[in-house]
Amino acid sequence: MKNKLNRREVTFDFSEKTVIVTGAARGMGRETVRAFAEAGANVVATDRDSKGLTETCSPHQIRVVSIVGDVSNPEDVNKFIETAVKRFGTLDICVNNAAVAPHTALLEESPEVWDRVYATNCRGTFLMTQSAARAMINSGRGGRIINFSSGVSQRGSPGTAAYASSRAAVESFSRVASIELAPHNILVNTISPGLIDTQSKPLPEEMAKSLSERIPKLPLMRPGEPKEVVNVVLFLASDASSYVTGTTIIVDGGSGIGNRSTTPIVDVDPRYFWVKKRSR
């Protein structure tokens, strides 16, 4: 008689869990809201873009509450946390996805833009982490805080001085937070995505051309999909990651370790040549 295989399927069940997702109006944030709602969680979705936020939340009206606000504003942040606790009774998971990423040459960078990047990416992550942690400590249930970085935090890339340095700061902050919050059973981790296809409309021609030249050199010869990053978010929010804290998980399809050979030339999925008219 043949031995039966002990198969294990990866499923995520967040029933009776409450999640806050910032930057939820589009892209990665929208996909994160959808994934948690479909996995049974109660979700508080936040963004400054009220129209985009409505589009994100409308398919999940029962489980998702939307709040327009700015993560760099302490009053708005407190409102996000208080809404989660009052509406659903607790806060278990905080996903700090909100960010801005202007592209400006160093010699042309303005203090105003620099401050705006740090206000959202660093101050916002700090305020959300602090306020969420206080709520988690008060509940006595522990929790998960998931922050976002970027591959450019580890390498030089022209035009990204503010953005890249702010992401490096988030990684460092998250390591400190993980140490201080560990006694309260709050795990703090960071996800660092590479090139992810979150665009909903054609890119400017110059940027599109640059990407179309870059994609064939990527190890997997394609950008990532939002769901491929969100799968890691779900893992870090789940019981499967109970011994993971203070780390940065890179989700970049191997792009951070080098380029693949471009000879012989291999056809690339035309969906990812943004210089052409997108078909979706």
Side-chain angles (χ1 to χ4, degrees), residues 48-279:
R48 294 181 297 184
D49 177 1
S50 60
K51 181 180 178 182
L53 198 56
T54 298
E55 293 174 354
T56 294
C57 300
S58 58
H60 318 285
Q61 292 180 1
I62 296 178
R63 293 194 176 279
V64 179
V65 174
S66 64
I67 307 177
V68 177
D70 187 338
V71 294
S72 68
N73 184 327
E75 293 181 359
D76 285 353
V77 168
N78 289 334
K79 180 174 64 176
F80 301 156
I81 305 301
E82 289 172 1
T83 298
V85 174
K86 289 180 180 179
R87 178 70 179 268
F88 300 117
T90 187
L91 174 61
D92 303 286
I93 302 157
C94 178
V95 182
N96 291 318
N97 170 70
V100 293
H103 193 275
T104 309
L106 174 62
L107 298 181
E108 299 173 0
E109 187 75 86
S110 70
E112 292 77 17
V113 172
W114 182 279
D115 289 345
R116 180 167 63 88
V117 171
Y118 269 75
T120 300
N121 300 3
C122 296
R123 177 184 168 96
T125 297
F126 153 66
L127 290 174
M128 287 296 302
T129 296
Q130 183 185 65
S131 190
R134 287 170 175 167
M136 292 171 182
I137 292 170
N138 288 338
S139 74
R141 291 160 52 110
R144 308 297 170 88
I145 296 173
I146 301 165
N147 297 326
F148 272 85
S149 179
S150 168
V152 297
S153 68
Q154 301 299 318
R155 60 180 183 273
S157 181
T160 65
Y163 179 66
S165 59
S166 73
R167 287 322 213 178
V170 167
E171 290 185 17
S172 181
F173 165 76
S174 298
R175 287 190 287 269
V176 174
S178 71
I179 295 295
E180 293 198 22
L181 298 178
H184 305 287
N185 195 30
I186 298 172
L187 309 185
V188 183
N189 290 290
T190 306
I191 296 175
S192 178
L195 178 61
I196 307 298
D197 181 15
T198 60
Q199 299 297 323
S200 58
K201 57 184 178 180
L203 294 172
E205 184 175 353
E206 183 178 350
M207 186 178 295
K209 182 179 179 181
S210 174
L211 286 173
S212 68
E213 294 172 351
R214 177 184 174 192
I215 288 171
K217 300 177 184 178
L218 298 176
L220 298 183
M221 298 184 71
R222 67 173 179 85
E225 298 288 344
K227 65 181 180 181
E228 294 178 303
V229 178
V230 173
N231 286 340
V232 181
V233 174
L234 296 177
F235 164 71
L236 290 175
S238 74
D239 292 340
S241 66
S242 58
Y243 202 58
V244 180
T245 194
T247 194
T248 297
I249 297 181
I250 299 171
V251 188
D252 68 353
S255 63
I257 59 174
N259 296 331
R260 70 183 294 163
S261 173
T262 57
T263 55
I265 296 175
V266 180
D267 290 336
V268 179
D269 190 328
R271 291 180 300 167
Y272 303 118
F273 274 93
W274 285 303
V275 73
K276 300 179 181 179
K277 184 178 180 181
R278 293 173 61 91
S279 59

